[in-house]
């Protein structure tokens, strides 16, 4: 059984990074937690969760295709926090429902770095299943 304990983070693609930063920090009071300039990522603290902003012209943003609008996705992916993160049990359940899963990798989230797996929902939205900080990924 997979048990979701919360939303770890959401990733929004944007053409207006500075305006989005101002909105989420000045208007809503979030703080910048970290920036990874080389891939185009700004992570904002949202309580126990993160909101990631990704410029559409950056490394991550280009993966989503056209800019947000009728022909382009705004949401890159969302992440569900899974506990316990039992990779074998998760993969067995996904296989039972014919859901393809990507590799288990170490990724940073609201609680720190831990194991995660990407899958897609029926509409093609990417969903990240993430374990707690410190959860191991194979070879980690």
């Amino acid at each position: 059984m997979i048990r979701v304990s919360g939303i770890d983070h959401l990733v929004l693609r944007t053409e207006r990074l500075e305006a989005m930063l101002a909105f989420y920090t000045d208007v809503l009071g979030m703080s910048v937690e970290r920036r990874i300039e080389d891939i185009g990522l700004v992570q904002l603290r949202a309580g126990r969760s993160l909101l990631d902003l990704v410029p559409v012209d950056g490394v991550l943003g280009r993966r989503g295709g056209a800019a947000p609008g009728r022909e382009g996705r705004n949401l890159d992916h969302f992440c569900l926090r899974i506990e316990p993160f039992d990779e074998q049990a998760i993969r067995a359940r996904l296989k039972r429902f014919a859901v393809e899963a990507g590799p288990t990798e170490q990724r940073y989230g609201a609680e720190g770095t831990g194991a995660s797996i990407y899958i897609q929902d029926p509409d093609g939205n990417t969903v990240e299943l993430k374990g707690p900080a410190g959860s191991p990924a194979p070879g980690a």
Side-chain angles (χ1 to χ4, degrees):
M1 180 71 144
I2 295 174
R3 189 171 57 98
V4 176
S5 63
I7 293 177
D8 187 89
H9 63 275
L10 293 175
V11 180
L12 297 178
R13 299 174 67 249
T14 183
E15 289 184 291
R16 297 172 290 279
L17 180 61
E18 294 309 316
M20 292 285 276
L21 275 170
F23 176 80
Y24 285 104
T25 59
D26 298 344
V27 177
L28 297 182
M30 293 182 187
S31 61
V32 175
E33 177 145 328
R34 71 180 192 154
R35 289 176 179 257
I36 305 177
E37 300 292 341
D38 59 327
I39 62 171
L41 171 67
V42 180
Q43 293 183 302
L44 305 173
R45 176 57 55 185
R48 293 181 53 197
S49 303
L50 292 174
L51 175 65
D52 296 355
L53 300 177
V54 176
V56 296
D57 59 354
V59 173
L60 290 178
R62 285 191 299 268
R63 292 182 189 167
R70 294 178 65 110
E71 300 301 319
R73 299 181 330 211
N74 186 36
L75 181 70
D76 180 80
H77 74 276
F78 66 94
C79 179
L80 299 174
R81 175 65 163 71
I82 306 299
E83 195 164 339
F85 190 88
D86 179 337
E87 181 183 8
Q88 289 181 344
I90 291 168
R91 288 189 178 279
R93 182 169 181 85
L94 295 173
K95 185 176 181 178
R96 189 173 28 193
F97 288 94
V99 174
E100 290 186 39
T104 301
E105 296 183 13
Q106 291 288 302
R107 294 187 177 94
Y108 185 81
E111 298 174 359
T113 302
S116 80
I117 300 170
Y118 284 160
I119 60 173
Q120 288 195 331
D121 73 13
D123 278 343
N125 295 304
T126 300
V127 180
E128 180 180 351
L129 305 177
K130 187 166 184 318
S135 55

